[in-house]
Every structure is written in C-alpha cells, then in structure tokens.
Amino acid sequence: QLQLVESGGGSVQPGGSLRLSCEGIGSSLEEYNIGWFRQAPGKVREAVLCMSESYGSIYYVNSVKGRFNISKDLTKNSMLLQITSAEPEDTAVYYCAAGPPFHRCSNYYGRYDYWGLGTPVTVSS
C-alpha cells in the first residue's frame, strides 16, 4: 500500500519560487504515473499537470506552462512540483497523486489510486 506525504507548501510573494515534495511510503514511485491537482478557495479541484514515464508531462492549466515543472526524485522516492514566477492565481491547496502506469497520464481523478492530504500554497505580497 502506497502512502503519499506532501511537504514544502507555504507562502511566497508573487514572482517567487516554491518546491513541493511528495514522498512515497510503502512502495516505489518508479512505476507509477504521477500528477498534481489543486483546489483554490471556493473552486473545484482541478488537475494541474501529470507525468508518465513513457509519454512525458501533460499540462492541463495553460497559465502554468513554463512556470511549473513535475518530476520524480527516485533517490528520495518522491515526486516534485517546482513552481516559479508564482502568481496570486496559484493560491490553492495542492494534492499529489499516483496511479497505474498507463501510456498517457490523465487529468481524471479516477485514474489515480493514491492521494496526499494536500499542502497549502499562498501567493501574496
């Protein structure tokens, strides 16, 4: 059974950077598709971006292209979300997710079996 534990959330000024980490416990993340979702105040949870080993990364929010990057650090059995040039619209609770290794990852929450509890990100001056 895989457990996901997020860390790295917090407050950042507009234009700043933040790195979110999500450690896998109980199983290696190597074979999983991974994704990051977020839920802003008063809004539904949305897929931000995901990654599969065979297809690569897919971005589902146009405004994060060029600013967000998803990766795995298998030395720490973790998935990472690097946020740069943060914008106030990035304020949300961010959730990591892992699922079976389909060729393409997905923005559908049902494709992910394991979820972190969420870590808040606030972008404000």
Side-chain angles (χ1 to χ4, degrees):
Q1 184 77 4
L2 176 65
Q3 289 183 301
L4 300 176
V5 180
E6 294 134 334
S7 62
S11 296
V12 63
Q13 293 186 340
S17 299
L18 204 63
R19 189 175 75 169
L20 306 184
S21 180
C22 177
E23 180 184 5
I25 299 173
S27 181
S28 172
L29 286 175
E30 184 172 10
E31 299 299 327
Y32 288 92
N33 284 357
I34 59 173
W36 286 92
F37 291 67
R38 69 184 182 185
Q39 186 166 13
K43 295 187 178 182
V44 299
R45 190 177 301 189
E46 65 175 352
V48 182
L49 73 170
C50 66
M51 185 179 81
S52 70
E53 292 296 326
S54 58
Y55 189 83
S57 302
I58 302 176
Y59 289 78
Y60 292 104
V61 179
N62 285 333
S63 65
V64 308
K65 290 180 181 179
R67 301 191 299 112
F68 284 25
N69 185 63
I70 185 173
S71 63
K72 290 181 182 178
D73 181 353
L74 295 179
T75 65
K76 298 180 180 178
N77 202 37
S78 296
M79 66 177 85
L80 306 174
L81 178 64
Q82 181 69 48
I83 299 173
T84 60
S85 301
E87 299 176 354
E89 292 73 24
D90 297 328
T91 295
V93 177
Y94 284 75
Y95 299 87
C96 60
F102 296 105
H103 175 56
R104 286 178 53 133
C105 57
S106 173
N107 61 340
Y108 175 50
Y109 67 89
R111 283 288 186 94
Y112 298 89
D113 298 321
Y114 305 101
W115 291 82
L117 295 178
T119 186
V121 172
T122 302
V123 184
S124 174
S125 55

